Amino acid sequence: MEIAVFSAKPYDREFLNAANTTHHHRLHYFDVPLDIETVGLAAGYGAVCVFVNDRADAGVLQALLRGGAKLVALRCTGFNNVDLKAAQDLGIKVVRVVDYSPNSVAEHAVALMMAINRKIQRAGNRTRDFNFSLDGLMGFDLCGKTVAVIGTGKIGRVFTKIMLGFGCNVIGYDKFPSPEFEVLGARYARPKEIGESADIISLHCPLTPQTYHIIDADTLSRAKPGALLINTSRGGLIDTEAVIDALRSGQLGGLAIDVYEQEADVFFRDLSGTIVTDDVLQRLVTFPNVIVTGHQAFLTREAVTTICETTLQSVTDFETGNALSNEIRAS
Ligand code: NAD
């Protein structure tokens, strides 16, 4: 099948080409993200392959259909950037990668948490200058601390297992609680208890209208003073301005994020030679107790291999009329 691959980075090309040796699709790579300005590039392709910040809203989907596309294949888990209702009305199928490596994201969340608690970025910056002073680098033991996991699905549960291994008490919140979480040795708690007792809060739920700004001024005011907040899920879960206020007042002890509300305008490109006009991001990165990575939690060899194989298998299934096991529909 002819596939237009948007937001294509060198690693996408390498791993999609490798996976395609068994599928034999014709892959055409475009560096630019899919949006209303670039959708014309997809004319003549039966499928488009997109990533987290490509925008498949109703207007884009209509243009895709006019160009002949009948399939949107997301090479990611989250699908908040696709208007599923519009796709369904237009008869465009949407597939995603439900299951790749929850370890990749959970392990990155742990890396961020460790880095912010033990001030690894600050320490690394110092020692590059042969500054071996320890002032300001004190962290806390994880063993015995309470970690709250918001969203106890695949990634949340791997994160839970790792935290239990550190000797933490893990409490969770999920709209749809699962026994698998409790079997690990963790337990569910109400938001009030989470606020009062969590030393670390890690977000692992999807971005939906219900979870948009799940962390806002109100939840932050009820958090344990000095708590750490980790977000590897989606930027929109956090009201970034409110988080900045909480960091400034000391109510929040640290923030480690792999995702950012306005990331579509800045992430996945090298802006080091330009003036970034996003004042919120500018302010965030100046805090000594903030770490930002650029949506790289998925970026392990194992995860990207599975993502590319699953994506191309879905396209093959679509082409051959097989059932689409990774299809997502409007609820
Ligand atoms: P999952 O579907 O297995 O788990 C999500 C969990 O969130 C489910 O248990 C679900 O019941 C719960 N949930 C849904 N609505 C909720 C609500 N209102 N409040 C609390 N919990 C709610 O998904 P997953 O594979 O664990 O992925 C979780 C998220 O991680 C994805 O939605 C995606 O946004 C993000 N993600 C980020 C990266 C990255 O590179 N940073 C990579 C993959 C996934």
Side-chain angles (χ1 to χ4, degrees), residues 35-318:
D35 59 25
I36 200 67
E37 306 287 323
T38 61
V39 66
L41 293 168
Y45 296 95
V48 292
C49 177
V50 299
F51 194 49
V52 293
N53 290 325
D54 292 299
R55 195 164 300 151
D57 57 22
V60 168
L61 290 164
Q62 282 157 8
L64 284 175
L65 187 67
R66 281 196 296 276
K70 291 283 183 61
L71 178 71
V72 173
L74 287 150
R75 52 182 192 281
C76 55
T77 307
F79 50 87
N80 50 288
N81 50 336
V82 180
D83 185 335
L84 292 178
K85 173 77 172 58
Q88 195 164 299
D89 292 347
L90 293 165
I92 295 177
K93 299 276 187 197
V94 182
V95 290
R96 65 170 173 151
V97 183
V98 180
D99 211 351
Y100 52 97
S101 165
N103 305 314
S104 62
V105 183
E107 289 172 14
H108 191 75
V110 175
L112 286 174
M113 183 196 63
M114 296 299 285
I116 201 71
N117 176 28
R118 303 306 295 267
K119 326 280 194 268
I120 300 299
Q121 184 163 277
R122 293 184 72 193
N125 290 342
R126 284 187 193 182
T127 56
R128 282 165 69 99
D129 281 340
F130 299 101
N131 172 358
F132 300 105
S133 155
L134 300 184
D135 289 343
L137 299 185
M138 191 173 289
F140 58 80
D141 281 10
L142 284 170
C143 187
K145 297 296 186 297
T146 298
V147 178
V149 178
I150 312 299
T152 59
K154 290 180 289 299
I155 296 169
R157 289 199 299 274
V158 174
F159 181 79
T160 296
K161 246 191 256 178
I162 301 172
M163 290 298 92
L164 290 168
F166 274 109
C168 297
N169 308 311
V170 182
I171 54 177
Y173 174 75
D174 199 299
K175 194 174 169 197
F176 308 99
S178 83
E180 291 164 77
F181 175 68
E182 293 171 307
V183 161
L184 295 173
R187 66 177 174 87
Y188 285 104
R190 292 179 187 280
K192 185 170 182 295
E193 183 188 349
I194 289 177
E196 283 166 3
S197 62
D199 300 288
I200 296 164
I201 300 171
S202 193
L203 305 179
H204 299 288
C205 56
L207 177 61
T208 65
Q210 293 82 46
T211 60
Y212 176 73
H213 284 188
I214 197 169
I215 301 294
D216 60 10
D218 180 47
T219 42
L220 287 163
S221 71
R222 287 184 280 113
K224 191 169 172 178
L228 305 183
L229 177 63
I230 319 295
N231 187 10
T232 54
S233 199
R234 283 291 180 271
L237 297 177
I238 288 181
D239 177 346
T240 317
E241 293 276 6
V243 160
I244 288 176
D245 288 344
L247 285 164
R248 200 181 281 129
S249 71
Q251 173 68 4
L252 197 58
L255 173 74
I257 52 173
D258 185 51
V259 287
Y260 166 58
E261 262 188 298
Q262 307 302 334
E263 69 175 51
D265 299 330
V266 283
F267 278 14
F268 304 116
R269 64 197 85 152
D270 179 1
L271 300 176
S272 57
T274 62
I275 306 291
V276 173
T277 53
D278 181 331
D279 292 341
V280 176
L281 186 60
Q282 290 274 18
R283 268 184 292 159
L284 259 190
V285 297
T286 61
F287 283 93
N289 51 349
V290 170
I291 290 186
V292 180
T293 54
H295 209 136
Q296 69 174 73
F298 72 97
L299 198 64
T300 65
R301 274 190 300 279
E302 293 78 2
V304 177
T305 299
T306 309
I307 288 169
C308 292
E309 284 173 355
T310 307
T311 302
L312 294 187
Q313 183 60 49
S314 292
V315 177
T316 300
D317 288 341
F318 176 80

